Amino acid sequence: MDFTFTEEQQAAVEAAKAVFAKVTPDGVPSPALTPGAVADDFDRALWRKLADADLLGLPIAPEHGGTGLDALALCLVLRESAKVLARVPLLESGAAAHTLQNHAADELRTEVLPRIATGDLVVTVAAAGRTGHEPAESAVDAHQDGPDWILDGTQTAVPWAQTADRILLPAHTSDGHAVLALVPRARPGVTLEDQISTSGERHAEVRLDSVHISTREAITDPAAWESLRNLLTTGVCALALGIGTRVLEMTSDYTSKREQFGFPVATFQAVAVQAADRFIDLRAMEATLWQAAWRLTTGAPGSLPPAGDVAVAKIWASEGIRRVVQTAQHLHGGFGADTDYSLHRYHAWAKQLELSLGPAAAHEEALGDLLAAHALG
């Protein structure tokens, strides 16, 4: 497989590196020492810098103020953001923008996409369902009443819902189809209940009680929800890769300087073998991530639908990131638990991503269903 990136994609990476160069992972209190959320809002100053660097409009067409790039470019930037634990809804906003660009009606695209690209409209996504263990589209019921849609149900663990302007969420109709609704946070009937993520960020349970949205605020394209879910899951894999890359760098740096019996511990065979195993995990995470992102970007045919590649990538991301941070903690010894050192922050984010949009076991089951339904040639 040749995963050589285009000049435009590489330019997006360089722009992202420039923006994230001055971001530190300890800009908010430690989640280990904070009983509630580490902050009330995401990093607005960083959000503005991302907008100024044209990184919020990556999947948005130029006629709507974006750069017209693809899922691969978004995942490349997400990887860089995770290396510094950037506290911004870049995944949710980027996936929502991509979905709106490709599946929304012209009127809705014209209304919201230019404002998303400039950072003036913040969109998050509800994709965990009611409990986090069921199809997200089944958590909310949608039925039409004249020109409006009426929504009833609950979505849990919605990132930064309290400070986003709109929430893009799936709902099911009486005939079993999934629609996407772009719901204003302050719309009557919307209630938010605070929740705290494993990484210490502010999430919310979003309850909808006879919430009315207009026809233009709904996306009825039957392919829209699957497209959004696949991109969100692939984006989580990109974040996991960024965190794993940085954690392995920290481990390499620490073990090369920490000495026992007059030698750096990195020279001990047991340490070197564990680090090598985690390097292999990262390479597998990387290869499966870019395979999934490439399928989503190109629509290239395969023995399985793109969801199969996404499932494989998430299996590796969930299992790989867990092993990477566990080994890092082990090789750091007691220093890894020091809350003045940032490794424990990466561990918390890694555990959050491991389970986000389903753990490895859930995606293994989904992959099994796909293999059963499609004959491999």
Side-chain angles (χ1 to χ4, degrees):
M1 291 178 288
D2 181 9
F3 289 133
T4 302
F5 300 111
T6 66
E7 291 184 6
E8 291 81 4
Q9 291 164 347
Q10 293 172 359
V13 173
E14 293 306 313
K17 287 180 177 179
V19 172
F20 295 128
K22 297 181 180 179
V23 178
T24 60
D26 55 358
V28 293
S30 165
L33 303 176
T34 307
V38 295
D40 291 333
D41 199 358
F42 60 84
D43 190 339
R44 293 279 178 173
L46 178 57
W47 193 248
R48 178 48 51 196
K49 292 177 182 178
L50 290 168
D52 292 342
D54 295 327
L55 291 172
L56 298 185
L58 289 176
I60 297 175
E63 59 264 29
H64 296 304
T67 53
L69 295 182
D70 49 33
L72 276 165
L74 177 60
C75 288
L76 284 164
V77 174
L78 287 169
R79 181 190 61 182
E80 297 306 314
S81 75
K83 292 178 182 179
V84 296
L85 304 183
R87 301 182 51 262
V88 286
L90 186 58
L91 168 59
E92 295 78 16
S93 176
H98 183 274
T99 303
L100 289 161
Q101 178 65 58
N102 290 289
H103 301 283
D106 289 340
E107 183 181 5
L108 184 58
R109 287 203 299 261
T110 302
E111 176 189 348
V112 301
L113 288 178
R115 297 176 63 205
I116 292 175
T118 59
D120 296 320
L121 182 72
V122 179
V123 179
T124 190
V125 179
R130 186 176 60 86
T131 64
H133 300 287
E134 61 185 2
E137 67 273 19
S138 67
V140 176
D141 172 73
H143 66 273
Q144 284 191 286
D145 181 18
D148 292 344
W149 286 89
I150 301 179
L151 308 175
D152 289 279
T154 300
Q155 291 277 355
T156 194
V158 182
W160 290 297
Q162 296 90 338
T163 51
D165 300 300
R166 305 228 186 158
I167 303 167
L168 185 63
L169 57 89
H172 69 276
T173 63
S174 58
D175 58 4
H177 292 135
V179 298
L180 290 175
L182 189 61
V183 182
R185 170 174 50 86
R187 183 66 53 86
V190 176
T191 304
L192 306 180
E193 186 73 27
D194 273 358
Q195 295 177 320
I196 309 300
S197 72
T198 303
S199 56
E201 297 299 339
R202 195 179 183 196
H203 287 197
E205 181 182 79
V206 179
R207 301 171 185 165
L208 303 106
D209 183 11
S210 297
V211 175
H212 287 248
I213 65 167
S214 63
T215 301
R216 65 179 180 80
E217 294 172 312
I219 302 174
T220 56
D221 185 340
W225 166 232
E226 182 179 7
S227 173
L228 175 59
R229 180 178 56 205
N230 283 340
L231 182 52
L232 282 170
T233 307
T234 306
V236 168
C237 298
L239 294 172
L241 178 62
I243 286 177
T245 300
R246 179 59 188 137
V247 166
L248 194 61
E249 290 172 352
M250 294 169 67
T251 305
S252 175
D253 182 65
Y254 177 79
T255 56
S256 66
K257 295 176 181 177
R258 175 75 165 89
E259 293 188 358
Q260 282 188 335
F261 311 113
F263 296 94
V265 297
T267 62
F268 298 167
Q269 185 178 36
V271 173
V273 167
Q274 290 183 72
D277 285 342
R278 301 296 77 81
F279 178 81
I280 292 171
D281 278 335
L282 284 179
R283 297 290 71 79
M285 291 166 63
E286 185 174 32
T288 54
L289 162 65
W290 299 135
Q291 171 70 13
W294 175 75
R295 287 291 305 278
L296 296 183
T297 297
T298 64
S303 300
L304 293 177
D309 294 281
V310 173
V312 171
K314 188 55 166 68
I315 292 166
W316 269 107
S318 292
E319 296 285 357
I321 194 60
R322 175 177 52 80
R323 290 192 291 262
V324 167
V325 295
Q326 285 179 344
T327 298
Q329 290 284 7
H330 175 63
L331 296 183
H332 274 82
F335 192 51
D338 188 342
T339 54
D340 290 330
Y341 184 57
S342 61
L343 181 61
H344 76 287
R345 297 175 183 267
Y346 285 91
H347 199 154
W349 278 61
K351 295 304 292 184
Q352 174 74 26
L353 294 173
E354 177 188 347
L355 302 178
S356 292
L357 298 176
H363 289 275
E364 288 167 353
E365 183 178 353
L367 181 60
D369 291 341
L370 287 170
L371 289 169
H374 295 81
L376 301 182

